[in-house]
Amino acid sequence: MRKSILIGVCLAALSPAAVQAQNVEGRVGKLESEMRAVQRKVFPGGAGQMLQAEVRAPQSEQGPGPGSPATSALADVNQRVTSLEQQMTSLTEQIEQNQNRTRQLQDAFDNYRRSNDARVKMLEAGPAPIAAGGPIDSDDTSSGPARPSTRPETASRPGAAPAPTKVSVEKPSTGDPAEDEYMYGYRLWAAKQYPQAEAQLKKVVAEYPKSKRASYAQNLLGRAYLDEGKPSLASMAFYDNYKKMPDGERAPDSLLYLGQALTKLNKPADACKVYDELNDVYGAKMAAAMKGQVAAGRAAAKCK
């Protein structure tokens, strides 16, 4: 009889611990599923990466006093799980804030891009054709029909500046097609043959999208447009490089030049958002020279 009573007392004493263990196990299972969800957001490609929480058991500065029982292992685990839950909540909030900021930047740029599509198409279409009958000479003040102009061509005028000579650009041949095609585009850009350089750089991006030179070519395409005085086309090229190849070596440069292009387009508020995005995404990796360029760009756009 005494033995049965003793067993009952022991079971009654153990039941709260068993309930706590079940609760902790349930919380750990929930945290594991949340951790996997966060992993999919932070590392979309997988690659076997996993976030590790920096949670340690609390260290007591002094041992337990006389007559005070030591903290049980179950209580320690329970406290660590609570700390992990708090860190998980903070991490999830940060991810949501970053996604929201990126979405706002994309929406703003999409709106700007749509507003400029018509103007870009007009620029690409070129000037309107001249009406039949030829141009009317500006020196002709008669009221009769238009006569062919007798004014000599600009190049044949005495003292007129000669037409720019087209420099021959040699295409390299090193056995690496992607490298050769990009360097040819770079040489065309350096020679200020912008239309030819733009066509060549587009070719590099289209034919070698997996090469590291694709990021270089897309960024240099934007610079060619910018140097040619086409900030609208330049801004689209820079944004595409950042959007499609955010891990490319020239993605930070494209955000920097995108801010400059938007400033030229009288879009200082959008330029400031781009500089904020550049600092948030690549700030830790930026060289001192680029940080100075960002500061100058923010000053030009009058960012707060």
Side-chain angles (χ1 to χ4, degrees):
M1 182 67 178
R2 292 177 59 190
K3 187 175 182 179
S4 300
I5 294 174
L6 182 59
I7 292 174
V9 170
C10 290
L11 290 175
L14 289 174
S15 58
V19 171
Q20 282 188 341
Q22 290 178 354
N23 291 338
V24 170
E25 183 178 356
R27 292 167 69 188
V28 170
K30 181 180 178 182
L31 283 173
E32 288 177 347
S33 63
E34 291 180 353
M35 200 61 127
R36 285 192 292 270
V38 172
Q39 180 187 12
R40 286 192 295 270
K41 290 183 179 180
V42 178
F43 307 108
Q49 302 184 66
M50 186 64 186
L51 296 174
Q52 299 293 336
E54 298 181 357
V55 183
R56 297 181 177 85
Q59 300 293 330
S60 177
E61 297 180 358
Q62 297 180 353
S68 300
T71 303
S72 68
L74 185 59
D76 290 342
V77 171
N78 191 44
Q79 185 173 356
R80 294 174 66 186
V81 169
T82 300
S83 177
L84 184 58
E85 287 175 335
Q86 294 173 350
Q87 291 191 21
M88 177 65 68
T89 300
S90 177
L91 179 60
T92 302
E93 290 177 353
Q94 292 178 15
I95 291 174
E96 291 176 349
Q97 290 174 0
N98 290 337
Q99 289 177 337
N100 185 54
R101 183 167 57 248
T102 301
R103 186 165 50 251
Q104 289 177 347
L105 178 62
Q106 181 175 352
D107 291 343
F109 192 84
D110 288 344
N111 291 334
Y112 153 74
R113 190 171 190 169
R114 284 192 295 269
S115 68
N116 283 275
D117 277 346
R119 184 171 60 178
V120 170
K121 290 179 180 178
M122 292 176 61
L123 289 173
E124 291 178 343
I130 300 174
I136 299 176
D137 184 63
S138 59
D139 293 338
D140 184 8
T141 57
S142 66
S143 58
R147 294 181 286 110
S149 174
T150 57
R151 177 178 297 175
E153 295 295 331
T154 302
S156 61
R157 292 181 191 173
T165 304
K166 190 173 182 179
V167 179
S168 177
V169 177
E170 182 181 359
K171 185 175 182 179
S173 179
T174 64
D176 185 343
E179 184 71 14
D180 291 344
E181 296 290 348
Y182 168 73
M183 289 306 301
Y184 182 47
Y186 176 86
R187 291 178 181 181
L188 288 169
W189 169 76
K192 299 184 179 181
Q193 297 183 23
Y194 299 127
Q196 295 85 346
E198 291 154 10
Q200 177 64 23
L201 294 168
K202 289 178 182 178
K203 177 183 176 182
V204 175
V205 176
E207 294 186 0
Y208 306 99
K210 300 299 182 182
S211 170
K212 75 171 186 177
R213 287 305 191 185
S215 176
Y216 282 77
Q218 184 68 29
N219 180 69
L220 192 57
L221 173 63
R223 293 191 64 182
Y225 282 134
L226 201 59
D227 292 342
E228 198 180 7
K230 299 178 178 179
S232 293
L233 292 175
S235 62
M236 295 178 188
F238 292 135
Y239 182 75
D240 284 343
N241 194 33
Y242 169 64
K243 180 65 177 177
K244 296 177 182 178
M245 294 176 279
D247 296 326
E249 293 185 27
R250 286 296 181 263
D253 301 76
S254 287
L255 277 183
L256 173 65
Y257 289 116
L258 174 57
Q260 295 178 6
L262 291 171
T263 301
K264 289 180 179 293
L265 290 167
N266 295 321
K267 301 280 186 179
D270 292 337
C272 293
K273 292 179 182 179
V274 169
Y275 290 132
D276 290 340
E277 183 78 1
L278 176 57
N279 284 326
D280 290 342
V281 179
Y282 303 108
K285 302 178 182 179
M286 280 195 297
M290 181 173 286
K291 290 181 179 179
Q293 290 176 300
V294 172
R298 292 182 65 89
K302 298 181 180 180
C303 302
K304 296 181 180 180

